[in-house]
Amino acid sequence: MRIIFVSDFHLKYNTDKTEEQRTARIISFLKSLQGECDVLILNGDIFDLWFCWRRVIIKDYFPVLKILADLRESGCRLIFIAGNHDFWFGDFLKKYLGIEIYPDCFQEVLAGKKVFAAHGDLYTINDIRYKIFRFFIRKKIPRFIFSIIHPDLALNIGLLFSRSSRRKIIPPRLNTLRAQGLLKYAQMHRDDYDIMVMGHSHLPVSQTIGNLTYINTGDWLQHNTYAELNNSGIILKKYND
């Protein structure tokens, strides 16, 4: 059995040449999994913003959605865990692509290991301000307001709130604090799971904590890293196209 964990693609819908090259690398990676992957776990922030209106999806994401559909058709199980950028899920991913959706975390025995996977934004223990924002933005009212705005205008508004916008660079100190918070959470649960996989901090990590293997899959803005679990264990890898 081969299980792939990946997070923080941060696919954008306002692309330039650099973003097109980055998207091409991501598509190349996903294509390499076809026929070679039993389970693909998309661990949040795959899209810089996700929303599907009643009759509309974001067309810029179509190439990646097509590859995901091909993976599903090839027999790969697809699991999507919400991140802090892609959490307003409608029925499109589940109904048309057969993707399993998890709003907070995913827990299951895979390859004989008790696995816990989550994007991580809910589990940092030192980011209270964001957690307050997270609580309110996931309520029905903000989602409803966004849904009644014309998609072109709504997506322009979405750019203003995207921390990974080209005009906003996440300070290294913030990423370090996130990484430390996630590691502390893993340490608190070292006896509850065999494997814990997170994202969110954009910093790839592989660390053994007692009987727990803690992995942070990093990001695809700088590192192009992912984790692979098979019957021999889990390792952190870097994709080189």
Side-chain angles (χ1 to χ4, degrees):
M1 174 171 276
R2 187 184 186 210
I3 300 114
I4 300 297
F5 300 81
V6 67
S7 70
D8 297 278
F9 284 164
H10 284 283
L11 290 162
K12 301 180 188 300
Y13 50 85
N14 58 323
T15 59
D16 56 18
K17 192 65 175 179
T18 300
E19 288 302 321
E20 289 174 359
Q21 292 172 348
R22 212 171 60 81
T23 300
R25 185 183 309 116
I26 291 167
I27 289 174
S28 174
F29 166 70
L30 292 174
K31 283 184 176 180
S32 75
L33 301 179
Q34 192 164 352
E36 302 292 335
C37 180
D38 298 293
V39 184
L40 173 61
I41 298 178
L42 303 163
N43 203 8
D45 284 5
I46 300 303
F47 303 103
D48 215 37
L49 183 147
W50 175 263
F51 199 90
C52 58
W53 290 262
R54 289 185 64 188
R55 296 289 184 269
V56 176
I57 62 170
I58 302 171
K59 69 178 183 180
D60 308 75
Y61 296 153
F62 178 78
V64 170
L65 295 174
K66 197 267 184 187
I67 300 301
L68 292 177
D70 291 343
L71 282 168
R72 184 70 186 90
E73 192 170 307
S74 73
C76 180
R77 179 184 176 191
L78 300 179
I79 294 166
F80 200 135
I81 305 163
N84 53 299
H85 283 255
D86 42 16
F87 52 85
W88 275 336
F89 295 114
D91 67 348
F92 180 81
L93 295 177
K94 183 177 180 179
K95 182 176 180 180
Y96 294 97
L97 299 186
I99 298 177
E100 301 173 36
I101 302 295
Y102 293 84
D104 296 318
C105 65
F106 168 80
Q107 302 178 63
E108 193 170 304
V109 175
L110 297 171
K113 302 293 184 180
K114 189 174 182 182
V115 174
F116 176 94
H119 181 64
D121 58 310
L122 182 61
Y123 300 102
T124 52
I125 61 175
N126 53 0
D127 200 356
I128 301 301
R129 185 175 65 176
Y130 166 71
K131 287 185 179 180
I132 294 172
F133 171 77
R134 185 186 193 277
F135 174 80
F136 286 104
I137 199 64
R138 297 197 181 204
K139 294 294 185 181
K140 291 182 179 179
I141 291 177
R143 178 173 179 166
F144 172 74
I145 293 172
F146 200 85
S147 72
I148 61 175
I149 302 173
H150 187 281
D152 289 347
L153 177 59
L155 292 176
N156 284 332
I157 294 172
L159 289 177
L160 300 177
F161 290 96
S162 172
R163 288 187 178 184
S164 64
S165 160
R166 285 188 290 269
R167 297 185 298 275
K168 294 184 179 181
I169 300 174
I170 301 174
R173 181 176 176 275
L174 177 57
N175 278 343
T176 300
L177 286 173
R178 288 175 176 175
Q180 291 172 348
L182 294 174
L183 182 58
K184 287 181 180 179
Y185 182 84
Q187 291 168 341
M188 291 165 54
H189 294 273
R190 67 178 73 189
D191 298 323
D192 299 330
Y193 307 98
D194 299 310
I195 293 169
M196 181 176 288
V197 182
M198 298 281 196
H200 189 51
S201 71
H202 294 196
L203 298 175
V205 173
S206 178
Q207 185 167 338
T208 301
I209 308 170
N211 294 322
L212 173 72
T213 300
Y214 169 68
I215 298 279
N216 192 296
T217 49
D219 71 346
W220 286 66
L221 295 167
Q222 292 181 302
H223 299 100
N224 304 323
T225 44
Y226 64 99
E228 179 177 331
L229 171 63
N230 55 40
N231 294 326
S232 299
I234 189 167
I235 56 174
L236 189 64
K237 289 187 169 185
K238 181 179 179 68
Y239 179 68
N240 297 301
D241 55 349

